Amino acid sequence: MTGPANADADDNPLERDTAAPLETDVFVVGAGPVGLLLAGELRTAGARVTLLEQLTEPTTESRASTLHARTMELLAARGLLERLGPPPPGGPGHFGGIPLDLTAADPGHPHAGQWKCPQATLERVLGEWSRELGARLLRGHRVVGLTQRAGHVEVTVARSDGTLIHGRAAYLVGCDGEGSAVRRLAGFTLAGQDASREMLRADVAGIDIPNRRFERHPRGMATAARWPDGTTRVMVHLHGQRPVPRSRPPGFDEVVAAWATVTGEDIGHGTPVWLNAFDDTSRQVTRYRRGRVLLAGDAAHRQMPVGGQALNLGLQDAADLGAKLAGRVLGRAGEDVLDSYHASRHPVGARTLTNIRAQALLLLGGPEVEPLRSTIGALMGNAAVHRHLARMISGLESAPPAGAAVAPTPTQPHLTPERNIVGRLDSRTALVTGSSRGIGRAIAIRLAAEGALVAVHYATNVDAADETVALIEKDGGRAFPVQAELGVPGDVHQLFQALEQGLKERTGEASLDILVNNAGATTPEGQLPEDVTVEEFDRLFAINARAPFFITQRALGILSTGGRIINISSGLTRLANPEQVAYSMTKGAIEQLSLHLARHLAPRQITVNSVAPGITDNGGPVFDIPAAVEQMAQLSAFKRVGKAEDVADVVTFLATDDARWITGAFIDATGGTLLG
Ligand code: NAP
């Protein structure tokens, strides 16, 4: 980044005030954790930023105090964890009050679990950080007017001394919380559900009651936890009590009465230090961007603060938006980068709101939710389910592709044992030809591990195909075998009959997302060009070139938008080996298929690429002969023969959304054999 662009005439731009009209690249409205992180992100990338905050002093309240693994990653990457302390562990997690071990999300993750950090501490550290980076914070500045013009946004700001000032910026981001003025002034639509349940909270000094966690009573639910300073945080919900509109916190008498009703204990002799009420309102703006105005954090989504997800969701919004907005402001990115913020964060917000609604029901529901609680509790005994929920809450879940359905359809059973059920290819379908053995088997296993339902194709070796399917299912994946000998009349038709039937049975429709043309035959060892017969030549072409062409042609009818075609070629198209001339010609042909179809299918967002393995251990007998292996190993720059997984990982990458920008390419997966 460049120097602190806003720290022009003042060593201490934070807290500084000015009477001059405000002008900057980006106004960030709201200096809570989300706004402060965003400001730091924007400054890091080099954009000028001014924070407008209506409070004249930082808050001392600790509304949110839990950080999850993904947020910890973000903070660590910015060097902020060291500044924070680092935070102490936050104890066990929960899902709707049912114990959930958040470390199950990824036991190897350096920040697996949850971590305690009072909001006031987080704000102080983020404030210092953004200040050092050159962000300007104007306290006592409340945005009361907002107009979008061609090329900029104008704001009217009421200052705490009663004066009005005006300002302009290229963009404005509302990080001003659930009551967001920006959201209202810019005309965002906040869609969703009103509250039906309420929870009262208080920090109370001078009481001595036992700690308890989500204790369910006939009349309600109660939680108590002693802070290190001796005060006790109590939370209480009364079954059947509808939330009342509140313009101020509840009275202590209300909390005392509810606590007594639910637990039978009297805490009326205590002294309230902090009082608060929250409800299960669940709303989200329909777009995160309107022209030059964007929203992040609670301004974009209102949810019950269960399990600390709201703060984490907001911080992750800011982290996603910062670099994108700076890129746009500095002319490095087009307008579409701002829409990509909506595309990436709106689905994450929607899914989080859904899980929070589910948790609110489990947590605050009366006796009628007991059967649901015991069913969900039993399901959570399943390691894959436990891990799925832990990943979701930890923010480690991968986002679905933009526009994808938020919830799996009933025909896509996702809860299979042990598999990472939030893989990069969840709910995709794949056909891997020749996946009974060798490289094809490794590809099938890798795609399934990422969540794809895989059709395991083979010619004759039914036992090997069944073994591939069994290996996938053992790890909780989904696969089914399809038989068809390729290179013979009717081959493609037979293959697609079995494929489409298998897909329909398992997903309800015959739709394919990923096609890997892997099956192949080779020339016999040591055969000179002079000895190749017409029959052998035709057979090689029929299996290695003609079949992939017509498989691809047939697949086009069922291939989804954004689909993937990956053709397995060979390093021999770039390395002379006269004994393999006919075989290499077939691989040259399949590379042509990739090149030309890539252009043809780009309008459907389908990518087509060739992957070229070098010598790869496919389990064949030659790989059991050490001297032969040693000799073959010398061809690779890494001095070893390839493993089938080396190639499978490359293919899997091409199948994911991460490879959306690669098409028509020849990918060298020879371990450097072609380097010479
Ligand atoms: P492999 O171990 O020999 O396995 C071949 C697979 O293709 C098997 O699943 C086999 O099914 C199937 N297959 C063979 N002929 C078929 C036919 N006529 N109809 C239908 N299916 C047929 O293969 P691999 O070594 O893993 O090679 C996979 C791909 O990588 C091939 O395209 C190959 O050209 C390419 N490649 C391999 C290497 C290498 O060193 N291994 C190097 C460069 C390129 P059955 O089990 O039923 O026979």
Side-chain angles (χ1 to χ4, degrees):
M1 59 153 275
T2 55
N6 295 315
D8 35 31
D10 195 327
D11 289 344
N12 182 8
L14 204 77
E15 312 289 347
R16 187 181 59 177
D17 204 346
T18 175
L22 305 168
E23 186 148 348
T24 187
D25 291 334
V26 181
F27 283 128
V28 173
V29 182
V34 176
L36 289 168
L37 179 66
L38 178 63
E41 294 290 281
L42 289 165
R43 286 300 307 132
T44 302
R48 296 179 307 154
V49 56
T50 297
L51 283 140
L52 303 171
E53 168 57 56
Q54 61 176 338
L55 295 180
T56 52
E57 296 293 332
T59 175
T60 52
E61 285 182 2
S62 277
R63 289 164 158 267
S65 58
T66 301
L67 302 178
H68 292 140
R70 176 75 189 117
T71 307
M72 294 285 282
E73 266 176 22
L74 295 173
L75 296 175
R78 289 152 184 80
L80 292 166
L81 269 195
E82 285 163 23
R83 288 175 174 233
L84 276 174
H94 72 95
F95 185 81
I98 302 169
L100 175 69
D101 176 9
L102 289 173
T103 63
D106 180 355
H109 192 286
H111 309 297
Q114 60 178 348
W115 308 85
K116 278 289 160 211
C117 177
Q119 184 169 331
T121 309
L122 185 62
E123 282 189 17
R124 178 180 52 73
V125 168
L126 289 172
E128 289 166 1
W129 175 68
S130 55
R131 162 190 163 173
E132 286 162 20
L133 290 167
R136 170 197 265 184
L137 168 59
L138 300 177
R139 287 203 169 278
H141 281 60
R142 185 162 55 90
V143 173
V144 293
L146 189 160
T147 311
Q148 297 207 44
R149 307 264 184 225
H152 67 273
V153 187
E154 290 174 3
V155 286
T156 305
V157 178
R159 303 199 306 175
S160 47
D161 63 5
T163 55
L164 284 183
I165 57 168
H166 300 280
R168 61 188 274 167
Y171 291 92
L172 180 146
V173 187
C175 302
D176 48 344
E178 60 180 39
S180 173
V182 171
R183 187 177 65 218
R184 180 173 42 79
L185 293 168
F188 283 87
T189 305
L190 188 63
Q193 296 177 5
D194 288 331
S196 60
R197 298 180 175 85
E198 187 186 49
M199 189 104 146
L200 304 178
R201 278 198 291 196
D203 285 346
V204 187
I207 58 171
D208 185 15
I209 55 172
N211 282 349
R212 68 204 80 189
R213 206 160 182 250
F214 310 121
E215 202 172 74
R216 291 176 64 77
H217 295 262
R219 305 284 305 274
M221 193 277 294
T223 277
R226 182 74 64 94
W227 290 115
D229 67 3
T231 57
T232 301
R233 162 84 41 106
V234 294
M235 294 201 280
V236 59
H237 165 74
L238 269 175
H239 289 330
Q241 178 126 325
R242 304 285 303 178
V244 290
R246 294 182 186 274
S247 56
R248 58 172 61 106
F252 186 47
D253 54 340
E254 240 186 291
V255 179
V256 171
W259 190 263
T261 305
V262 172
T263 67
E265 293 169 358
D266 179 14
I267 56 170
H269 57 283
T271 308
V273 179
W274 175 69
L275 291 158
N276 174 257
F278 63 88
D279 60 39
D280 63 348
T281 300
S282 181
R283 290 183 172 275
Q284 186 182 26
V285 289
T286 51
R287 304 283 313 167
Y288 278 27
R289 173 193 176 204
R290 271 179 73 87
R292 294 181 169 272
V293 181
L294 301 106
L295 298 178
D298 288 356
H301 35 76
R302 278 198 62 184
Q303 59 280 310
M304 195 170 106
V306 60
Q309 287 186 92
L311 171 65
N312 289 273
L313 188 61
L315 291 170
Q316 289 159 31
D317 287 346
D320 187 88
L321 178 58
K324 290 178 177 170
L325 182 54
R328 177 66 198 125
V329 166
L330 300 172
R332 296 185 202 129
E335 283 288 302
D336 55 344
V337 78
L338 300 180
D339 291 324
S340 80
Y341 165 63
H342 168 86
S344 60
R345 295 306 298 168
H346 188 276
V348 176
R351 273 179 300 154
T352 307
L353 261 57
T354 300
N355 95 49
I356 287 178
R357 280 208 305 275
Q359 293 198 66
L361 191 63
L362 291 169
L363 191 63
L364 305 182
E368 74 282 1
V369 300
E370 285 305 336
L372 188 62
R373 287 179 60 85
S374 63
T375 306
I376 300 277
L379 274 173
M380 285 169 65
N382 176 302
V385 174
H386 206 92
R387 180 175 151 86
H388 172 72
L389 294 176
R391 287 182 69 80
M392 186 171 66
I393 289 176
S394 301
L396 297 177
E397 190 182 29
S398 54
V406 167
T409 60
T411 51
Q412 295 165 347
H414 278 225
L415 301 181
T416 43
E418 301 307 325
R419 186 174 65 79
N420 168 8
I421 56 175
V422 284
R424 291 181 293 173
L425 301 175
D426 259 1
S427 78
R428 315 280 168 94
T429 56
L431 165 64
V432 183
T433 66
S435 48
S436 48
R437 299 181 276 129
I439 295 171
R441 170 182 280 183
I443 294 170
I445 288 173
R446 286 290 206 261
L447 295 180
E450 289 288 354
L453 166 65
V454 182
V456 174
H457 162 258
Y458 68 103
T460 53
N461 208 334
V462 62
D463 290 344
D466 285 345
E467 195 179 325
T468 304
V469 171
L471 286 167
I472 289 171
E473 290 179 341
K474 180 173 72 65
D475 286 336
R478 294 180 301 147
F480 61 96
V482 286
Q483 192 276 331
E485 182 177 354
L486 301 178
V488 298
D491 52 357
V492 175
H493 186 65
Q494 184 181 341
L495 169 63
F496 274 77
Q497 274 199 325
L499 172 70
E500 291 178 8
Q501 185 186 338
L503 290 173
K504 275 190 193 136
E505 281 169 5
R506 288 161 182 83
T507 70
E509 58 177 348
S511 172
L512 190 66
D513 301 300
I514 301 156
L515 165 62
V516 184
N517 281 310
N518 166 78
T522 47
T523 327
E525 277 293 303
Q527 189 182 47
L528 294 175
E530 290 84 345
D531 299 330
V532 177
T533 65
V534 170
E535 290 73 24
E536 282 166 350
F537 185 91
D538 284 350
R539 181 176 163 273
L540 284 174
F541 265 83
I543 299 169
N544 294 0
R546 190 181 76 196
F549 180 90
F550 287 102
I551 289 171
T552 305
Q553 184 191 65
R554 176 78 178 255
L556 293 185
I558 60 169
L559 208 58
S560 60
T561 302
R564 297 281 185 267
I565 300 172
I566 299 148
N567 293 318
I568 305 302
S569 177
S570 165
L572 284 173
T573 60
R574 303 289 197 276
L575 190 74
N577 181 347
E579 293 177 8
Q580 301 279 357
V581 59
Y583 167 79
S584 302
M585 287 173 71
T586 67
K587 294 301 186 184
I590 206 170
E591 288 176 17
Q592 291 302 307
L593 182 61
S594 299
L595 183 69
H596 296 279
L597 282 196
R599 167 65 61 83
H600 184 58
L601 297 176
R604 291 171 57 182
Q605 307 296 316
I606 295 170
T607 67
V608 192
N609 292 291
S610 300
V611 172
I615 294 182
T616 310
D617 185 346
N618 58 6
V622 70
F623 293 99
D624 292 331
I625 306 169
V629 171
E630 181 56 32
Q631 201 183 356
M632 291 186 285
Q634 298 314 309
L635 292 174
S636 152
F638 301 119
K639 303 300 174 209
R640 68 169 173 86
V641 297
K643 291 183 283 192
E645 293 74 18
D646 293 331
V647 180
D649 283 341
V650 176
V651 172
T652 303
F653 163 68
L654 287 172
T656 66
D657 291 335
D658 293 345
R660 63 194 170 279
W661 206 233
I662 302 175
T663 195
F666 167 87
I667 309 284
D668 173 349
T670 67
T673 302
L674 300 183
L675 298 176

